[in-house]
Amino acid sequence: MTSRYRVEYALKTHRRDQLIEWIKGLLAVPFVLHSQPTTIYHEHSEGLKTAAADTHQRYAEIMRDVENLILDHIHHTRHNEPGKSKLKLLVPSIGTFFTRLYMEDAFKYQDAQRFISRRRFVAPSFNDIRLILNTAQVLALVRSSGVKLVTFDGDVTLYEDGACLTTDNPVISRILRLLQLGCKVGIVTAAGYSDAPKYYGRLQGLLDAVYDSPTLTPEQRQGLIVMGGESNFLFRFDQASKDRLAYVPRSEWLLDEMRAWHDDDITELLDIAESALRACAANLQLPAAVLRKDRAVGVYPLDGQKMHREQLEETVLVAHNTVERSAVGSRLPFCAFNGGNDVFVDIGDKSWGVRACQRYFGGISPSETLHVGDQFLSAGANDFKARLASATAWIASPAETVDLLDELEMAA
Ligand code: IMP
Ligand code: MG
């Protein structure tokens, strides 16, 4: 990397989603050309209504074009000719789509929720487009073979950062509904514990609801699993256990490639990550301690302290780059991420976690799987890797997860 590129990368690239930025740019043109900032606002103003209708139509047409570019990209990727994809030229960082995306219909749905095309001063935003993409993904899953597995991140996705899934959480009834429909559910979290009571503590509201449900069959209850430490510890729901979960030995679920993750390599990678984290903590005088675990190492704040964004981002980039440049870092998958008030380096990542869930349930395909998470930036974020294994939805709060699950039900 040249130093210029490196600075640009560290400053910007990993904090932007290239596809969303590009779509935002496309919509900015009709926004500028059609918006009527000087028209006097009046409830019954016909002029404004016509302008909004025009803008709606322009946005919808652009979304249809984007939808077709994605279809074209899928076609070329399937035929092993990614170089011929126009979308790849326009958005070089674009990855693989496991399904088409119904961008036009999704725009119409979100415009009816958010009145994007009626705005005269605020152009279509990152969040508008993120939500349109989520809806487009939900529609695609429902309109094809249906969703067979939904995997959820924990913090920020199911409950607030660092909190627990308590009985009053509205996501519980939605997850029960998924199980009732025969859909499998995996909680794929970075939170890495090797024993069930810790997960029971974090997920009690959901686990008790599944336990107490008068309608779920034993088979439907078996549709719930927890994958902890990204891809390291698997638990299945267990009605007979006081913690509601039973540990599943690795021999029963590891993917073939994961069997090649040797203990020596794991120790070596964590040693390198740990010394990078310690060096960073000393250098930035972080109010934090280092925690070494079986399959992870992290820095977490001392009691009552908070690390600020810059400290967290610097630490995660230092740890990521140090491990990436090591020999073991090229042999073994790892994930360095910013957990909001801590930084962890885990062995494996959520692509392996989601794949292991798919395989545990008998081989569910990526195009039948939806991973819901909040961390989709390309560096320092741990849900990003799930994009290699499944369709994804990028939410920004537990309330958005609930909305998304309601959309999924409505679309079905
Ligand atoms: P997630 O959002 O569900 O993936 O959870 C991430 C959070 O889990 C981190 O920010 C940490 O606070 C916490 N955590 C606990 N143990 C671990 C671990 O072993 N690795 C990574 N994160 C952990
Ligand atoms: Mg999260």
Side-chain angles (χ1 to χ4, degrees):
M1 254 199 266
T2 65
S3 60
R4 172 76 190 161
Y5 179 74
R6 206 161 163 150
V7 168
E8 287 283 312
Y9 177 82
L11 292 181
K12 281 210 259 2
T13 315
H14 72 282
R15 299 184 52 204
R16 298 251 188 279
D17 182 283
Q18 307 293 320
L19 177 65
I20 293 184
E21 293 303 318
W22 173 70
I23 298 174
K24 225 169 101 175
L26 296 179
L27 297 182
V29 176
F31 173 78
V32 169
L33 297 179
H34 286 258
S35 68
Q36 307 273 327
T38 55
T39 308
I40 302 296
Y41 195 84
H42 186 280
E43 210 180 330
H44 303 293
S45 156
E46 283 309 313
L48 281 181
K49 274 193 195 150
T50 326
D54 276 356
T55 312
H56 173 92
Q57 192 179 336
R58 294 294 175 102
Y59 289 171
E61 284 164 7
I62 289 175
M63 288 306 188
R64 191 186 317 147
D65 290 339
V66 172
E67 183 172 324
N68 287 330
L69 280 172
I70 293 174
L71 269 176
D72 172 76
H73 178 70
I74 293 172
H75 175 81
H76 289 304
T77 319
R78 285 200 184 137
H79 291 84
N80 256 333
E81 299 174 322
K84 287 196 179 167
S85 158
K86 187 166 161 192
L87 186 61
K88 180 91 185 155
L89 292 176
L90 294 164
V91 187
S93 63
I94 204 76
T96 306
F97 292 85
F98 293 111
T99 69
R100 63 178 294 176
L101 294 181
Y102 289 93
M103 297 298 288
E104 186 181 1
D105 290 350
F107 164 72
K108 288 179 178 164
Y109 173 82
Q110 286 296 342
D111 201 30
Q113 308 290 312
R114 299 168 68 81
F115 303 101
I116 301 164
S117 55
R118 290 204 202 166
R119 297 201 305 247
R120 296 183 299 153
F121 293 93
V122 178
S125 68
F126 169 85
N127 282 325
D128 295 327
I129 294 158
R130 180 176 58 75
L131 291 168
I132 292 167
L133 284 164
N134 288 351
T135 303
Q137 183 61 79
V138 162
L139 291 175
L141 288 164
V142 169
R143 290 176 185 177
S144 57
S145 47
V147 198
K148 302 216 164 76
L149 167 66
V150 183
T151 57
F152 295 95
D153 162 56
D155 292 50
V156 183
T157 303
L158 292 177
Y159 37 83
E160 297 299 339
D161 200 15
C164 297
L165 212 169
T166 47
T167 315
D168 53 352
N169 190 321
V171 84
I172 293 174
S173 57
R174 277 76 177 181
I175 293 182
L176 292 190
R177 197 167 64 204
L178 287 175
L179 292 171
Q180 217 134 29
L181 292 170
C183 182
K184 311 296 183 198
V185 173
I187 297 178
V188 180
T189 169
Y193 318 114
S194 48
D195 54 338
K198 291 259 178 34
Y199 288 107
Y200 185 45
R202 298 296 300 273
L203 305 170
Q204 186 168 2
L206 174 66
L207 295 174
D208 282 351
V210 173
Y211 177 86
D212 289 330
S213 165
T215 45
L216 284 178
T217 64
E219 197 197 335
Q220 287 167 344
R221 286 190 171 89
Q222 287 305 307
L224 175 64
I225 57 178
V226 178
M227 174 65 80
E230 321 275 2
S231 52
N232 284 301
F233 311 102
L234 183 66
F235 294 82
R236 60 178 174 78
F237 185 82
D238 182 6
Q239 191 80 357
S241 154
K242 68 174 176 20
D243 306 311
R244 320 274 187 248
L245 291 171
Y247 182 72
V248 185
R250 289 204 176 108
S251 59
E252 289 178 31
W253 62 267
L254 279 191
L255 300 168
D256 291 344
E257 297 91 326
M258 297 168 91
R259 293 181 200 277
W261 300 1
H262 296 298
D263 283 347
D264 294 351
D265 277 354
I266 291 174
T267 309
E268 189 183 335
L269 191 147
L270 292 178
D271 285 346
I272 293 169
E274 181 175 342
S275 62
L277 291 174
R278 284 191 189 282
C280 212
N283 185 33
L284 302 179
Q285 307 221 346
L286 299 179
V290 172
L291 176 66
R292 174 78 179 247
K293 298 175 150 189
D294 230 23
R295 293 286 176 119
V297 57
V299 281
Y300 66 96
L302 298 168
D303 267 351
Q305 308 262 18
K306 268 196 96 56
M307 289 188 268
H308 51 74
R309 182 175 65 75
E310 292 78 359
Q311 289 175 321
L312 293 163
E313 286 204 4
E314 174 71 10
T315 307
V316 81
L317 290 170
V318 166
H320 179 88
N321 283 307
T322 311
V323 179
E324 195 180 38
R325 281 188 280 109
S326 70
V328 65
S330 59
R331 290 198 293 274
L332 195 60
F334 69 95
C335 177
F337 76 101
N338 168 355
N341 199 25
D342 50 32
V343 171
F344 271 88
V345 179
D346 289 315
I347 299 297
D349 60 48
K350 289 196 184 184
S351 68
W352 295 101
V354 171
R355 280 192 201 109
C357 294
Q358 290 166 336
R359 154 92 195 249
Y360 179 83
F361 287 121
I364 295 176
S365 72
S367 62
E368 299 165 326
T369 309
L370 177 67
H371 177 76
V372 187
D374 66 298
Q375 292 215 344
F376 283 100
L377 294 175
S378 63
N382 66 351
D383 294 302
F384 180 71
K385 287 280 181 170
R387 283 196 182 147
L388 297 170
S390 67
T392 55
W394 183 350
I395 55 76
S397 67
E400 279 192 11
T401 304
V402 170
D403 290 344
L404 184 91
L405 294 177
D406 287 345
E407 265 181 47
L408 193 61
E409 191 196 15
M410 265 169 15

